[in-house]
Amino acid sequence: MKTVDVLLKELTLEEKAGLCSGKDMWTTKAVERLGLPSWMMTDGPHGLRKQKPNGAGFMDAIPATCFPSGAGLASTWNRDLLEEVGQALGRESKAEQVGVILGPGANIKRSPLCGRNFEYFSEDPYLAGQIAKHHILGVQSQGVGASLKHFAVNNQEKLRMTIDAIVDERTLREIYLPAFETAVKEAQPWTVMCSYNRINGTYAAENKWLLTTVLKEEWGHTGLVVTDWGANNDRVAGIKAGQELEMPGNGGITDAAIVKAVQEGVLTMAELDKAVRRVLLLTEKVLAELDPKATYDKAAHHTLARKVAAEAMVLLKNEGGLLPLSSQKRVAFLGAFAQKPRYQGGGSSHMTPTQMDDAVTEARKIAPAGLEISYGAGYSLTSDAPDSKLLAEAKTLAQKAEVAVVFIGMTDSFESEGFDRTHLGIPASHLALIAEVVKVQKNIVVVLSNGSPVEMPWLDKVPAVLEGYLGGQAWGGAVVDLLFGRANPSGKLAETFPLRLEDNSSYLNFPGDGKKVEYREGLFVGYRHYDALKLPTLFPFGHGLSYTTFTYGKIVLDKSTITDKQTLTVKVPVTNSGKVAGAEVVQLYVADKSASVLRPVRELKAFAKVFLNPGETKTVELTLNNRAFAFWSVETQDWFVESGEFELNVGSSSRDLRQKSIVTVQSFQKLPFVWDQTTPLMLLKNHPVGGEFYQAAMAEFLTWFGALDKDDPASLMMEAFVAEMPLRNLVRMTAGKLPEAQLDELIKALNQAG
Ligand code: BGC
């Protein structure tokens, strides 16, 4: 390929315009005259979905390894594992001559109802950012680009193509943007995919603040912005805003609009060149890496998929240590998902696996001699209505067994890209199966297949629950590994499971009024809300059990006081105090104890996953930089660290905090403050310049109100009344005892003192 600068000189206006949109559904346009070829990008994110050639249907894809979808990947809390998954995705893309694989999705789970939550990572921006970053680093290490999506504020499926998400600036900066920010700054995805929706009135695809000011200028994104498929609204406005590539192709309609805009002077050639340069730079990168000989090892990727699926699953409950199964001889696997797992979600990520493991077959493969595994479907996969014959069969098997493993969850019609859920329920047929089994069996393990939280009205009746998520093609094998203790659960929830849908903070404002959706809960998303309101949950954020136990030693900080420029190192020894090897996710939450603005009770700011043999202790080291203490200041348009005490909580979940410590932050950052006639008098109280005035004014006013006993409630009221008075009343309400000119002098002196 010729150099980008040469191409920019040689391309005609029409050719440049053409490069700003695709050729068809999945490829870019070629300019054969100049030797510029076309190349392919395709879905992701948890496996390659490359449509078969020659007129195959949209969903008819070549086989590729299906890893757990986003919800499961995030539950691993394992950065290294995410890189391994990314590398595998990269290798498979390369073997299929795909230049960019579309994913990961870093949108925040605002409501458990969002139909696409199975694809997204977390309700927490720090965790989502870490997972997205390492996914991208993995993919791109193979010379294949990632596409970080859907930028931004795409938190529901309902009217996702037109809905206007109304979000205040602090909430955008602290909740909805940071996962993208981390991924962009620390993994530099080759492409960012802008979302369909509008944000505060402007489509993401033509939102200059989002795509240029924030993404390119503040975060330094050097790659290209591609539209979500069909997200382009006004092509010329999009280019001006910093969106370079429209996908899919549209037969040249918008190319003509670009040409016309340049000819009429609405769009300058320099603006168009800026966009085309990024398209060419990406093409250059892709071409340099394409390798027709690339292959990958299917069996090795399947083995990796099994390992990842086992780490993605979360042991929610294990009363009496029912799991792992060891001494039982008769185990009943009940529920059609045991044989035909629901292992991925519906929509653009739905792909064709290279092979499929089911739990029944895998269990029989590994079962020790003498262990009998029976199977009953319990419900039909074609209807959600209970089937009495299947139920009766399952009940009999449950009765004969020593333990029943019941496979239930959500079917495809319950959650998918394209629509949101309206409740947290599961099919009636699955509920009926549990109801029948509990009548005859006490030893019940529920294994869930779902992409997002469900309610569990049956929870009290079953001793063990394994959240299997949508675990990819090796789901069945991974479930069996965990059930029989061949692997030890180490997944932790990346989202809160609420007791009731109504407890979720978006409940009153989801999914909006058809035109707009107002994010009125502000910062209080997920555990930030449940913790602020001290609401009980079904399972809290960060929760997940193990077959072993972990004890936490005392936290040691490398400094007890830090400035706003310093980092803090937190060390905590963690011991495996049980009998089997296992991994613990050590979570560090930071709480601002003296904030001047409304802040969440505590927020996740660091975590580490540590593998420990029985009896082993390792000291986990976590680092906090100034961002861990900061809030977004709308006044300064920047991150702001406030002086004061911050509590650090280290724990095994957001509600199982084991150790705490305090660090004092001394900040040299200042928020702008101007004294004027309306500043409340109380701010003078301890001020070096104004303190005396305050005392004098207070004495004067209190006499004015008449002598009152100090403990008289009326005195307290008077004091509060005076303290909150605007400074102007020092003149007005003392009948001029403090002349206006003197007050002006005072205000001047206060402003000079800073
Ligand atoms: C989805 C994207 C996907 C694209 C291409 C869109 O509808 O929102 O996530 O990558 O289609 O299939």
Side-chain angles (χ1 to χ4, degrees):
M1 175 179 153
K2 297 186 181 196
T3 67
V4 170
D5 284 325
V6 167
L7 282 167
L8 276 173
K9 284 203 193 93
E10 296 184 359
L11 286 162
T12 63
L13 169 60
E14 288 70 17
E15 286 165 343
K16 285 180 183 173
L19 287 174
C20 294
S21 61
K23 179 171 83 180
D24 50 29
M25 194 54 123
W26 306 116
T27 62
T28 60
K29 288 200 193 85
V31 181
E32 273 155 26
R33 174 181 85 79
L34 298 175
L36 198 65
S38 143
W39 55 270
M40 172 175 269
M41 65 200 93
T42 192
D43 284 304
H46 57 266
L48 184 71
R49 187 176 73 86
K50 182 181 166 187
Q51 208 172 315
K52 285 183 185 156
N54 307 329
F58 187 80
M59 301 311 292
D60 193 4
I62 53 111
T65 311
C66 180
F67 291 95
S69 61
L73 290 177
S75 310
T76 67
W77 296 59
N78 187 336
R79 297 176 175 93
D80 295 340
L81 196 61
L82 254 295
E83 286 200 24
E84 280 188 58
V85 172
Q87 287 159 9
L89 295 171
R91 280 193 290 272
E92 297 197 15
S93 304
K94 213 162 183 176
E96 287 297 336
Q97 311 307 309
V98 169
V100 169
I101 174 166
L102 306 175
N107 298 89
I108 292 296
K109 300 185 192 202
R110 174 178 178 241
S111 163
L113 297 178
C114 171
R116 232 172 157 178
N117 275 0
F118 71 90
E119 264 188 82
Y120 297 144
F121 296 133
S122 181
E123 67 190 23
D124 180 82
Y126 178 76
L127 178 57
Q130 291 299 308
I131 300 292
K133 167 186 164 183
H134 290 277
H135 176 126
I136 295 166
L137 287 175
V139 169
Q140 297 192 166
S141 70
Q142 302 306 304
V144 169
S147 193
L148 177 64
K149 65 192 189 180
H150 309 90
F151 190 54
V153 204
N154 178 183
N155 310 100
Q156 67 187 54
E157 290 301 282
K158 180 80 181 169
L159 290 168
R160 65 176 159 150
M161 299 193 189
T162 50
I163 197 86
D164 189 5
I166 309 293
V167 200
D168 70 84
E169 190 183 322
R170 246 192 94 194
T171 302
L172 270 175
R173 291 290 192 163
E174 292 185 31
I175 304 290
Y176 293 99
L177 297 184
F180 290 97
E181 180 181 358
T182 302
V184 166
K185 285 182 172 167
E186 297 174 25
Q188 202 53 263
W190 291 9
T191 74
V192 168
M193 186 192 293
C194 67
S195 56
Y196 287 120
N197 52 286
R198 283 180 264 202
I199 302 157
N200 295 326
T202 309
Y203 277 105
E206 56 204 47
N207 196 319
K208 190 163 190 174
W209 172 79
L210 186 73
L211 304 181
T212 297
T213 310
V214 175
L215 178 68
K216 291 179 167 63
E217 292 171 4
E218 279 182 32
W219 300 349
H221 185 233
T222 55
L224 161 153
V225 174
V226 57
T227 64
D228 197 345
W229 267 230
N232 179 56
N233 179 54
D234 175 332
R235 188 71 202 97
V236 174
I239 290 186
K240 281 179 177 285
Q243 171 257 100
E244 289 91 14
L245 179 64
E246 178 195 354
M247 285 303 284
N250 55 48
I253 297 171
T254 55
D255 302 354
I258 294 172
V259 170
K260 185 162 173 273
V262 173
Q263 283 164 346
E264 290 174 357
V266 178
L267 182 72
T268 66
M269 189 60 98
E271 285 172 315
L272 179 58
D273 280 356
K274 236 184 179 171
V276 175
R277 176 178 289 279
R278 288 199 186 228
V279 175
L280 293 173
L281 284 169
L282 178 62
T283 301
E284 189 173 60
K285 257 180 157 161
V286 168
L287 296 183
E289 291 287 350
L290 283 181
D291 175 5
K293 289 200 220 76
T295 54
Y296 71 97
D297 180 343
K298 282 202 174 94
H301 284 194
H302 183 74
T303 306
L304 175 64
R306 184 161 174 159
K307 176 171 124 183
V308 177
E311 264 201 56
M313 294 179 193
V314 183
L315 182 60
L316 295 176
K317 182 176 178 184
N318 192 18
E319 234 168 56
L322 177 59
L323 288 177
L325 304 177
S326 54
S327 55
Q328 294 87 351
K329 293 285 173 231
R330 292 185 315 282
V331 179
F333 275 24
L334 306 173
F337 282 170
Q339 214 171 45
K340 285 224 159 16
R342 177 157 177 268
Y343 61 97
Q344 63 172 333
S348 59
S349 66
H350 195 97
M351 41 148 330
T352 308
T354 55
Q355 69 179 81
M356 242 352 275
D357 286 355
D358 73 88
V360 176
T361 312
E362 293 306 308
R364 288 181 179 151
K365 267 192 217 161
I366 61 137
L371 173 63
E372 182 203 315
I373 292 165
S374 59
Y375 165 71
Y379 52 81
S380 147
L381 280 175
T382 49
S383 154
D384 289 339
D387 176 319
S388 50
K389 191 168 154 280
L390 294 177
L391 283 172
E393 244 171 59
K395 188 175 172 187
T396 310
L397 292 173
Q399 197 161 19
K400 284 189 191 152
E402 289 162 80
V403 55
V405 184
V406 184
F407 293 80
I408 54 171
M410 283 197 272
T411 51
D412 283 337
S413 64
F414 271 63
E415 63 178 344
S416 170
E417 177 179 340
F419 57 87
D420 296 316
R421 289 192 289 164
T422 52
H423 58 78
L424 301 182
I426 61 172
S429 55
H430 295 215
L431 285 174
L433 175 60
I434 292 258
E436 283 308 292
V437 174
V438 298
K439 287 182 192 156
V440 294
Q441 181 56 261
K442 281 202 166 49
N443 295 326
I444 300 171
V445 180
V446 168
V447 178
L448 288 164
S449 299
N450 48 314
S452 43
V454 292
E455 59 197 14
M456 303 181 196
W458 37 262
L459 187 62
D460 286 348
K461 301 194 186 83
V462 309
V465 182
L466 180 65
E467 173 54 74
Y469 279 117
L470 303 178
Q473 67 183 48
W475 189 88
V479 166
V480 165
D481 288 343
L482 293 173
L483 289 179
F484 293 98
R486 292 155 53 99
N488 189 352
S490 65
K492 299 271 186 179
L493 293 180
E495 60 193 328
T496 308
F497 275 46
L499 274 172
R500 310 176 313 150
L501 174 62
E502 293 83 347
D503 291 343
N504 180 265
S505 59
S506 72
Y507 179 70
L508 294 174
N509 292 286
F510 183 94
D513 63 10
K515 287 199 173 114
K516 61 181 188 317
V517 50
E518 297 185 45
Y519 287 34
R520 292 197 182 189
E521 68 284 359
L523 304 168
F524 295 88
V525 176
Y527 68 88
R528 287 165 170 77
H529 162 76
Y530 300 110
D531 287 352
L533 268 61
K534 296 195 170 72
L535 285 176
T537 60
L538 191 59
F539 295 106
F541 176 81
H543 170 76
L545 305 172
S546 164
Y547 295 152
T548 188
T549 48
F550 300 99
T551 50
Y552 285 61
K554 269 216 137 348
I555 302 189
V556 179
L557 310 183
D558 70 336
K559 308 173 196 78
S560 55
T561 301
I562 53 165
T563 67
D564 56 283
K565 298 249 169 345
Q566 288 176 313
T567 56
L568 178 72
T569 306
V570 179
K571 287 189 185 167
V572 60
V574 181
T575 304
N576 180 344
S577 43
K579 292 199 173 53
V580 286
E584 169 70 327
V585 177
V586 179
Q587 304 162 38
L588 172 54
Y589 295 86
V590 176
D592 187 344
K593 298 313 272 183
S594 49
S596 62
V597 294
L598 182 64
R599 296 197 72 177
V601 178
R602 67 182 70 84
E603 298 179 279
L604 180 77
K605 294 296 176 185
F607 67 85
K609 190 161 194 174
V610 56
F611 292 83
L612 294 164
N613 286 316
E616 191 184 3
T617 301
K618 277 186 191 158
T619 296
V620 174
E621 197 173 304
L622 302 157
T623 305
L624 297 174
N625 60 20
N626 53 357
R627 244 329 251 285
F629 302 97
F631 64 84
W632 177 262
S633 161
V634 175
E635 272 176 288
T636 62
Q637 290 287 293
D638 202 354
W639 295 99
F640 184 76
V641 178
E642 202 164 26
S643 292
E645 288 195 338
F646 289 75
E647 191 174 289
L648 309 175
N649 288 286
V650 175
S652 187
S653 92
S654 64
R655 293 219 169 154
D656 182 6
L657 302 170
R658 306 281 183 89
Q659 294 286 332
K660 73 173 180 204
S661 186
I662 298 274
V663 64
T664 304
V665 176
Q666 229 174 29
S667 175
F668 295 98
Q669 280 184 281
K670 275 207 166 73
L671 288 177
F673 184 80
V674 179
W675 293 86
D676 62 23
Q677 294 233 352
T678 63
T679 308
L681 183 57
M682 64 185 166
L683 294 188
L684 286 181
K685 190 169 179 184
N686 297 315
H687 196 284
V689 173
E692 262 176 48
F693 286 91
Y694 179 86
Q695 299 307 338
M698 199 49 98
E700 169 68 24
F701 282 125
L702 290 182
T703 357
W704 190 64
F705 286 127
L708 284 169
D709 182 23
K710 187 159 79 32
D711 297 326
D712 185 330
S715 159
L716 292 177
M717 191 291 284
M718 289 304 176
E719 210 173 317
F721 177 78
V722 176
E724 293 186 2
M725 255 180 199
L727 289 182
R728 63 169 139 64
N729 286 6
L730 286 176
V731 176
R732 313 227 177 123
M733 291 188 72
T734 58
K737 273 199 185 151
L738 174 75
E740 186 100 36
Q742 209 179 326
L743 177 63
D744 289 344
E745 279 304 306
L746 171 64
I747 291 174
K748 207 162 137 200
L750 286 164
N751 279 326
Q752 272 163 5

